[in-house]
Amino acid sequence: MVLASVGKTVQLQKKTENIRNICILAHVDHGKTTLADCLISSNGIISSRLAGKLRYLDSRADEQIRGITMKSSAISLHFEKGDQEYLINLIDSPGHVDFSSEVSTAVRLCDGCIIVVDAVEGVCPQTQAVLRQAWLENIRPVLVINKIDRLIVELKFSPQEAYSHLKNILEQVNAVTGALFTSKVLEERAEKETGTQIISDSVPGDQVYDWSAGLEDTDDSHLYFSPDQGNVVFASAIDGWGFGIEPFAKLYSQKIGIKPAVLLKTLWGDYYLNTKAKKIMKGDQSKGKKPLFVQLVLDNIWSLYEAVMKRDKDKIDKIITSLELKIGAREARHVDPRVHLNAICSQWLPISEAVLSMVCNKLPSPLDITAERVEKLMSVGARTFDSLPPETQDLKNAFMKCSSEETAPVIVFVSKMFAVDSKALPHNKPRPLTQEEIAQRRELARQRHAEKLAAIQSQELPEKALCGNAPETTGKTGETKGDEQQLTSQIEVMTLKTVKQEADNKESFIAFARVFSGVVRKGQKIFVLGPKYDPSESLHKLPLGCSAEADLPSVPYMACCILENLYLLMGRELKDLEEVPSGNVLGIGGLHEFVLKSATLSTSPACPPFTPLNFEATPIVRVAIEPKHPSEMPQLVRGMKLLNQADPCVQVLIQETGEHVLVTAGEVHLQRCLDDLKERFAKIQISVSEPIIPFRETITRPPKVDMVNEEIGKQQKVAVIHQTKEDQNKIPEGVQVDSDGLITISTPNKYATLSVRAMPLPEEATRLLEENSDLIRTMDQFNASLNEDKKTHEINQKTLDKIQEFKQKMEQNLQGRKWRNAVDQIWSFGPRKCGPNILLHRFEGYKKSVWQCLDKTTKEVSKYRDFDNSIVSGFQLATLSGPMCEEPLMGVCFIVEKWDISKVEEIMSTKRQQSEECDATEWKQDEDEATCLSRSHITECSSEDKEFKGSSQGSPKSSEKSSKRKGEALLADCYGPFSGQLIATMKEACRYALQAKPQRLMAAMYTCEIMATAEVLGRVYAVLSKREGRVLQEEMKEGTDVFIIKAVLPVAESFGFADEIRKRTSGLASPQLVFSHWEIIPSDPFWVPTTEEEYLHFGEKADSENQARKYMNAVRKRKGLYVDEKIVEHAEKQRTLSRNK
Amino acid sequence: MSIFTPTNQIRLTNVAVVRARRAGKRFEIACYRNKVMGWRSGSEKDIEEVLQTHTVFVNVSKGQVAKKEDLVKAFGTDDQTEICKTILSKGELQVSDKERHTQLEQMFRDIATIVAEKCVNPETKRPYTVILIERAMKDIHYSVKPSKSTKQQALEVIRQLKENMKIERAHMRLRLVLPQKEGKKLKEKLKPLIKVVESEDFHDQFEIVCLIDPGCFREIDELIRCETKGKGTLEVVSLKDVEEGDEKFE
């Protein structure tokens, strides 16, 4: 055991062929961090006695508490094997599925990985996932079967049983690898086939189909794990032992006298030792013999465990002497036999030796990077390597060489940014103060104190003169003088604290990176290439052979920066480095302004950005977060930005509603993010809630059948029984409702009458409107400018064509008798003038349409012109919040069928004559109106807002406004300005028109893609149907047993969905959610049973859950609207408050 | 006439009394607590769940039943259930604890919703969420007054919240077109009312695009109308100046 110094490490870093970059991957709780502990203890960084208990690399408090790793962290180890010295950059990764993004960041930086499998649990979902990840990144795996002690102590297996169990596990692991291999081969073949098909089409005749699928031709033997290949270690990290079969083969070859090479091949497998013949024979099971592995290896371990556990002193001594070990008396006497066992085993079969030598032998050094991997790393997205510019292709050689020469271009990949407390940085570390410094500080503090006292006293003097509370303060100062010594020391502490706090508040970001080529130096200038950077674009912009030092034109996604600090990552500690040669893992400080999550650093602008990391899990758990104290909003926003940078797999966004939404990979991940926010990044109290779920309101055609599939109207309504379907939206007097839903309503002053009808839009038309909202908006702006007769916005031909196309499509979608001429009659879109609802005008004498911009006509003068804006505004307001739960409308068409303002005209004309007669009266009129307005402003304070909305929206946009103004002024009466009345009336009319039709709620839907294995398919379906989801399709992925299920799921039901599906399927299914569309919820939120059949089927209260009503009431409750719910269900079951008599 | 003994008396517990005065007499009915409001709003349809007994009293607590002739005189009928229904819908009622609680809660929510709709965070120009406003209202210990309208109270809440957090009413964007003559004069008068002037244009007419506090709208409207004698115009470009769309941190 050697305590490797930094100097030594730096030396080793230069020998690229002796570097191994590895990571430890496994399912959660299979012993990654414990194994890492054992390996670290071999370097003397932690005590071997604590190995496995300390979990050195789990440096976060919550990691230690929960007992799971949450981030990948690196450490550099030093290992001596024979005459060679190796530097091992070990990265420990989390196993929990929520943190699989951390695994991705770790795998990218490595050349090899150790897959750890629990000997009891075998292959688990995450084991498959990490094997797949390793496979996708083209890194070589080795296997450690861990926790063999559990087979002995917990399961009490005999060696024979343990052997068959281990064999099983090995087969499982190999089966997964095999599946990965076949799927890859099939994919390649499919690609080839599409290529050849084109050729074969042109050459008919030769139609022999090749059934071999190419599997036979491809050799896959090197992929599999097998002890005789030396890529498997059996271990128990907690007890500190582990072995490959090599040392045993060597040992026994001497004892039995069989060649080590033969023994190496036969030690694992169906071989047994024929002791008489001293020969190894095949077929142990058929002959009922013990396999070699059991006889020579497992039996020994079992007997050792038995002896120690039973405290068989003689036997232990015998074993110890025969193994030539030295066990300390303390361990031997320890109460817990495991300690004793650990002491023996870790000397006999040290795990670090076994694992690290396997790593050094079997895993490649950075020099052995395969061409395949390099090409994969360099070709982003769909681009093939060949299509990259030649300069870039040249860089491949630099990759392959991995040389640390001065001339080699520097290429570094940053896979993640992690936050570190500033005080943990080596240059900020508090070092012990020297005696002089302490004295100096004390002197300073004393001076400061004296000054302060003087200041206080000088202040006090006038105070004394003024008020009588002086004695108190002087008493205090006297006191302080008394123990000045104490105070100075206090001040000293305080000043120290403030300095410290300043450092505390800063989180430094360190880039977790690896050098792929060249030498990185402190203070070097380097290009930072973002993930979207394209070398072929920038290369011709930049002068040839330029370097980062020169002044360069700005190129998109490229920045220049100086590497401020380089660190050697030693778990939770960081060591300063001056330079890092190729092939090493390192930390880089000072990049936080340039790198968001990952980036490529290079001295050559030809370097392409590396392919984005493959994330197994995408973030799907959405929550809304808010500060506990509303004034702390800025801290929260800042904290969320930092969190976003620090975590590779988190999404942070602000929604239009003002909500701050955090999207994480799972519940555990969420918890960690929240802890981070609370304690590190934002340092405020936050509250977490379900995000607000949006809905839309719409109407449908009246249904033809009722809830029990009987035709409506055929059977008697049994109103007698209990209840009729009451008109839940009581329409007040003064509103006429026709049987077909035409609403006629007058303004409060009875001057104008409106008739409005609502109709559902066809689905396609709604979709078309939604897709073209931007186009509609530009159209509206253009129309407005046309009406103003000035500064005509120049609209280009392209947009005009688009509008024309949009119009045609609308015409296609709106066909049938009901929609005749509808497109030409479109008056406005809403809400916000670009929404998916339309307003039609179907009355005589009105010509204006939204298609003005197409024929470029200016507005015609008509009698309605003065007030048409009020009608449009009323429509906008009505579509912005519907009657059901004040959510926006969607897919509704309002038709104004009559608009009678003849009375207004009469009055206006007469009044205008009057006003023309004497100009002076106009003044008075205006004044009158002003007073009227101000009065209403004061008295109707409550309705102030509505009113101002009204008048504001109503303020006309026409250029000749003065006449209108006059008109309006003339029309003003006790009900307020006429335009305002018109808006309110129009809004009411729209609402009633809606209520006259069957209303429905629309829910936002996610499309959900789930990968699941065949055995959990049923459970996935159960979870989906419980949450009102619908399966669209189900497909099997070729070459694997994985099914891909596509489903839709209401957003309202998605909270906790990911967690539930994972729990129910033991993690074998992983969903992804993407917002897709709006869908009408078929049930009527106001439905009550009305017919005999319905009554029989659903009962009086219709207790069975009505999904739409549930959603509607939830929204109404949230908004503080009236909810039609009983406060107390059963009157008799309330608590009795009076005395019992 | 039955004798009043402990065995034949019916004791009513949890009574909520609804009273009505008719023809100079007071009539009362005995209802269950927390049910009368539900009946009035129509969410409770079963009269048995509302009335403890169909009898009409003169005094419920004393158990004095109303006389038949009085009932006929006052209501024109002696059908007790019908009379109960009229009293239920027209009489004055005691608001019970839970009813009051839900009513206040509903108003509180309503106020918060209105505030959230009208206001933005001036730094980000984004609205606050209702939950946050609710919490802020609790922090300033705002108590809902059931007699005042929610809109009125919302304006009050905004004023109070301004002291504790960064909140502002979402500005209105206006375009004012003033005739050249009065333009200069009017501008001075408008200045204190305008928050931000986004653009100014002196051509043949004086045109300003500006942000104002919605509270000043009426004042500005009046000012322009009076001063320019109807020649100046005012147009609302947007009611609420807020950021639209989602923003992703990058």
Side-chain angles (χ1 to χ4, degrees), chain A residues 626-628 644 652-654 656 658 687 923 929 933 937 1117 1119 1122 1124 1128-1129 1131-1132 1134-1135, chain B residues 14 32-35 41 43 49 106 109 113 126-127 129 135 218 225 229-230 233 245-247 249:
Chain A
E626 270 164 4
K628 274 262 161 66
N644 188 34
V652 169
L653 43 113
I654 305 180
E656 200 174 324
S687 68
W923 254 110
E929 195 213 348
L933 273 175
H937 182 63
K1117 245 183 217 163
K1119 292 189 175 173
Y1122 172 72
D1124 191 26
V1128 177
E1129 186 64 34
E1132 282 282 18
Q1134 296 184 70
R1135 211 176 116 215
Chain B
N14 285 344
Y32 290 106
R33 299 162 67 77
N34 301 321
K35 276 291 185 185
S41 69
S43 61
E49 284 280 300
Q106 213 172 320
R109 285 251 167 84
T113 315
R126 285 196 176 268
T129 57
R135 197 173 304 126
R218 255 160 204 276
R225 211 164 9 180
K229 297 196 186 125
T233 57
D246 294 356
E247 184 192 343
F249 284 151

Side-chain angles (χ1 to χ4, degrees), chain A residues 596 626-631 633-634 637 640-641 644 651-659 687 689 723 726 730 777 788 790-791 832 923 929-930 933 936-937 942 944-945 947-949 951-953 955 957 961-962 965 1117-1132 1134-1138 1141, chain B residues 11 13-14 32-35 37 41-45 49 97-99 102 106 109-110 113 118 121 123 126-132 134-136 139 149 151-152 155 164-166 169 172 175 177 201 207 214-215 217-218 221-222 225-226 229-236 239 243-250:
Chain A
L596 178 68
E626 270 164 4
K628 274 262 161 66
H629 305 292
S631 54
M633 209 59 161
V637 173
M640 283 173 85
K641 276 183 186 153
N644 188 34
Q651 277 177 23
V652 169
L653 43 113
I654 305 180
Q655 287 193 317
E656 200 174 324
T657 52
E659 276 182 303
S687 68
S689 57
Q723 46 196 330
E726 252 181 87
K730 287 160 205 145
R777 189 175 307 199
E788 302 266 324
K790 57 169 178 184
K791 279 195 284 178
R832 297 200 185 102
W923 254 110
E929 195 213 348
L933 273 175
S936 71
H937 182 63
S942 61
E944 180 245 4
D945 271 283
E947 284 298 322
F948 89 67
K949 245 185 211 168
S951 53
S952 66
Q953 287 249 344
S955 50
K957 291 184 181 176
K961 219 158 283 188
S962 46
R965 272 282 168 215
K1117 245 183 217 163
R1118 194 189 72 212
K1119 292 189 175 173
L1121 302 168
Y1122 172 72
V1123 182
D1124 191 26
E1125 263 180 359
K1126 295 168 189 172
I1127 300 165
V1128 177
E1129 186 64 34
H1130 301 290
E1132 282 282 18
Q1134 296 184 70
R1135 211 176 116 215
T1136 307
L1137 292 170
S1138 62
K1141 282 179 190 167
Chain B
R11 280 207 169 269
T13 50
N14 285 344
Y32 290 106
R33 299 162 67 77
N34 301 321
K35 276 291 185 185
M37 300 263 269
S41 69
S43 61
E44 179 60 71
K45 295 176 187 80
E49 284 280 300
D97 52 346
K98 275 184 191 152
E99 286 172 342
T102 40
Q106 213 172 320
R109 285 251 167 84
D110 199 11
T113 315
K118 291 198 186 310
N121 181 348
E123 283 174 357
R126 285 196 176 268
Y128 282 108
T129 57
V130 180
I131 308 162
L132 199 75
E134 274 179 29
R135 197 173 304 126
D139 281 353
S149 85
K151 273 188 182 144
Q152 214 173 343
L155 294 175
N164 286 342
M165 58 192 276
K166 283 179 182 123
R169 279 194 67 172
M172 253 170 141
R175 184 154 74 215
V177 180
D201 194 8
E207 194 182 310
F217 177 78
R218 255 160 204 276
D221 189 33
E222 238 164 75
R225 211 164 9 180
C226 296
K229 297 196 186 125
K231 275 178 219 146
T233 57
L234 169 155
E235 181 192 332
V236 182
L239 272 179
E243 291 279 318
E244 278 176 20
D246 294 356
E247 184 192 343
K248 213 169 174 184
F249 284 151
E250 298 241 348

Side-chain angles (χ1 to χ4, degrees), chain A residues 692-743:
Chain A
I692 292 172
I693 294 144
F695 286 97
R696 293 284 183 272
E697 295 180 22
T698 190
I699 49 174
T700 54
R701 288 201 190 80
K704 294 223 170 58
V705 290
D706 65 13
M707 290 294 281
V708 278
N709 273 333
E710 297 277 341
E711 219 169 306
I712 282 176
K714 281 282 172 70
Q715 73 281 64
Q716 292 277 310
K717 289 224 168 174
V718 265
V720 207
I721 315 187
H722 304 271
Q723 46 196 330
T724 45
K725 186 176 177 181
E726 252 181 87
D727 237 324
Q728 62 296 120
N729 326 302
K730 287 160 205 145
I731 290 174
E733 288 168 40
V735 181
Q736 288 172 32
V737 186
D738 289 7
S739 57
D740 60 342
L742 184 72
I743 299 288

Side-chain angles (χ1 to χ4, degrees), chain A residues 1093-1108:
Chain A
E1093 283 82 4
E1094 281 181 339
Y1095 175 66
L1096 283 175
H1097 196 272
F1098 294 101
E1100 187 180 356
K1101 287 179 179 163
D1103 302 313
S1104 53
E1105 207 172 11
N1106 181 341
Q1107 200 195 353

Side-chain angles (χ1 to χ4, degrees), chain B residues 32-248:
Chain B
Y32 290 106
R33 299 162 67 77
N34 301 321
K35 276 291 185 185
V36 185
M37 300 263 269
W39 172 264
R40 283 201 172 170
S41 69
S43 61
E44 179 60 71
K45 295 176 187 80
D46 188 359
I47 189 104
E48 299 298 327
E49 284 280 300
V50 183
L51 292 182
Q52 295 220 352
T53 161
H54 289 253
T55 335
V56 180
F57 296 88
V58 171
N59 190 330
V60 171
S61 55
K62 288 183 183 157
Q64 290 168 340
V65 182
K67 289 195 183 91
K68 205 171 182 180
E69 48 268 37
D70 285 344
L71 286 179
V72 175
K73 205 172 141 200
F75 296 96
T77 173
D78 65 341
D79 182 349
Q80 300 254 2
T81 315
E82 279 311 307
I83 295 168
C84 281
K85 278 183 186 167
T86 11
I87 295 177
L88 263 181
S89 57
K90 301 223 171 93
E92 54 186 83
L93 58 104
Q94 303 172 336
V95 180
S96 310
D97 52 346
K98 275 184 191 152
E99 286 172 342
R100 177 165 287 120
H101 183 246
T102 40
Q103 192 194 354
L104 285 180
E105 201 178 25
Q106 213 172 320
M107 283 185 86
F108 190 81
R109 285 251 167 84
D110 199 11
I111 294 168
T113 315
I114 294 169
V115 173
E117 261 171 24
K118 291 198 186 310
C119 295
V120 289
N121 181 348
E123 283 174 357
T124 57
K125 291 276 179 233
R126 285 196 176 268
Y128 282 108
T129 57
V130 180
I131 308 162
L132 199 75
I133 299 289
E134 274 179 29
R135 197 173 304 126
M137 279 166 70
K138 274 178 193 144
D139 281 353
I140 58 166
H141 304 291
Y142 187 81
S143 65
V144 179
K145 294 159 197 81
S147 53
K148 273 166 109 186
S149 85
T150 46
K151 273 188 182 144
Q152 214 173 343
Q153 292 188 57
L155 294 175
E156 172 65 20
V157 166
I158 294 171
R159 200 169 316 129
Q160 288 185 22
L161 282 182
K162 269 183 192 163
E163 291 159 17
N164 286 342
M165 58 192 276
K166 283 179 182 123
I167 191 166
E168 215 168 58
R169 279 194 67 172
H171 291 152
M172 253 170 141
R173 186 173 284 125
L174 294 183
R175 184 154 74 215
L176 313 172
V177 180
L178 309 170
Q180 190 96 58
K181 227 180 359 175
E182 286 101 342
K184 290 256 166 63
K185 194 176 69 188
L186 207 53
K187 200 192 158 194
E188 291 307 308
K189 286 190 180 172
L190 286 172
K191 229 173 199 170
L193 299 173
I194 293 173
K195 289 264 162 163
V196 185
V197 176
E198 286 189 335
S199 74
E200 276 178 306
D201 194 8
F202 292 97
H203 274 295
D204 42 330
Q205 280 184 319
F206 181 52
E207 194 182 310
I208 312 175
V209 178
C210 58
L211 295 178
I212 61 151
D213 192 275
C216 308
F217 177 78
R218 255 160 204 276
E219 248 175 287
I220 291 178
D221 189 33
E222 238 164 75
L223 200 65
I224 289 177
R225 211 164 9 180
C226 296
E227 297 281 315
T228 65
K229 297 196 186 125
K231 275 178 219 146
T233 57
L234 169 155
E235 181 192 332
V236 182
V237 182
S238 68
L239 272 179
K240 262 169 79 182
D241 176 39
V242 288
E243 291 279 318
E244 278 176 20
D246 294 356
E247 184 192 343
K248 213 169 174 184

